[in-house]
Amino acid sequence: MLQVPYGGLDRDRPLIRLPFTSFAVGTVLLPLTGLVACLFISLMYNFEDATYTHCRVSNYLPSISAAISRVPERYIWRCCIGLHSAPRYLVSVAYFSFYRGRFARRLPELLLSGLALLCSLAENSGLLLLTYVSSTETYNVHKNGFVVFIGSSLLHMLITCWLWHVIRRSYVNPEEVTSYRWKVRLFLFNVSCCLAAAYFFRRHNKYCETGGRCPGPALCLSRFQRIRPQRVQVCSV
């Protein structure tokens, strides 16, 4: 700890200077880095267990829930998400302060700003819940955390796009226009990924496919009766 005489000019000098862009990029890369590491370890050392499905057909990649639910993958993922989540709470409050300054005289947008804050907090909390309660420990809690995370994430991005659409109409700052366009692109990409994941998840659970249907009707009809409950979640999409 840097110590200087009380009342000196250097007393309030910052010890570390970190550009916000670098800080934001590092925060965003933490989940991606953790996910890639977990997938790599699962494929290299726990392939059969991580790709196990309730109808015993071949899988090529593990689901995210399966990849982060085993040791040491779960600890890697928890460390990355823990470091990632703390700044996100601060950024959520910072965005709300920004919106409140921009929409001080516009009640509808001000209310939407509050709803965006609640959605952002719920999204981050849902991510923490599904991270620290793995699917092999308490599946229902993990599933509910996932639902909260996805639902609040999509709603938050939708509200954010609308708020920035209003900002773009009122201000002509080129950086804010660019920010709005990227937010819309990422929102549409996120929605597309969620729809594709839901489709393939439902198709996999309905037909037990590896490129074809289940080996027989009896296997598909009885798949939930013959498997332990904690195994159901590891079906990949």
Side-chain angles (χ1 to χ4, degrees), residues 83-120:
L83 294 172
H84 167 80
S85 297
R88 285 191 60 186
Y89 281 115
L90 298 177
V91 171
S92 298
V93 177
Y95 261 109
F96 177 70
S97 299
F98 170 78
Y99 292 144
R100 188 172 56 180
R102 285 296 178 93
F103 303 123
R105 299 181 180 180
R106 301 174 66 105
L107 182 60
E109 282 76 16
L110 191 59
L111 294 176
L112 283 177
S113 301
L115 182 58
L117 173 63
L118 294 178
C119 289
S120 180

Side-chain angles (χ1 to χ4, degrees), residues 95 98-99 102-103 108-117 156-169 180 183:
Y95 261 109
F98 170 78
Y99 292 144
R102 285 296 178 93
F103 303 123
E109 282 76 16
L110 191 59
L111 294 176
L112 283 177
S113 301
L115 182 58
L117 173 63
H156 174 245
M157 282 300 297
L158 178 62
I159 296 173
T160 298
C161 288
W162 172 254
L163 292 176
W164 281 84
H165 173 70
V166 175
I167 291 174
R168 190 190 65 164
R169 291 187 306 180
Y180 165 73
K183 285 176 172 59

Side-chain angles (χ1 to χ4, degrees), residues 54-55 57 199-216 220 223:
H54 55 266
C55 48
V57 294
Y199 168 76
F200 286 112
F201 180 80
R202 179 176 176 81
R203 184 181 181 92
H204 176 81
N205 281 279
K206 185 176 181 180
Y207 299 118
C208 297
E209 293 176 324
T210 58
R213 292 179 178 269
C214 246
C220 285
R223 63 184 182 273

Side-chain angles (χ1 to χ4, degrees), residues 26-64:
T27 301
V28 170
L29 287 179
L30 279 171
L32 178 61
T33 303
L35 179 60
V36 170
C38 291
L39 287 173
F40 177 79
I41 294 173
S42 296
L43 292 174
M44 292 297 295
Y45 302 105
N46 299 312
F47 180 79
E48 292 187 1
D49 194 25
T51 57
Y52 181 88
T53 61
H54 55 266
C55 48
R56 294 180 174 86
V57 294
S58 299
N59 248 339
Y60 309 113
L61 288 172
S63 66
I64 296 178

Side-chain angles (χ1 to χ4, degrees), residues 133-160:
V133 181
S134 67
S135 58
T136 55
E137 294 172 341
T138 308
Y139 176 66
N140 287 332
V141 175
H142 178 85
K143 180 183 70 175
N144 291 333
F146 179 79
V147 171
V148 170
F149 168 69
I150 292 297
S152 57
S153 173
L154 293 176
L155 183 58
H156 174 245
M157 282 300 297
L158 178 62
I159 296 173
T160 298

Side-chain angles (χ1 to χ4, degrees), residues 190-200:
N190 195 19
V191 171
S192 301
C193 290
C194 289
L195 292 176
Y199 168 76
F200 286 112

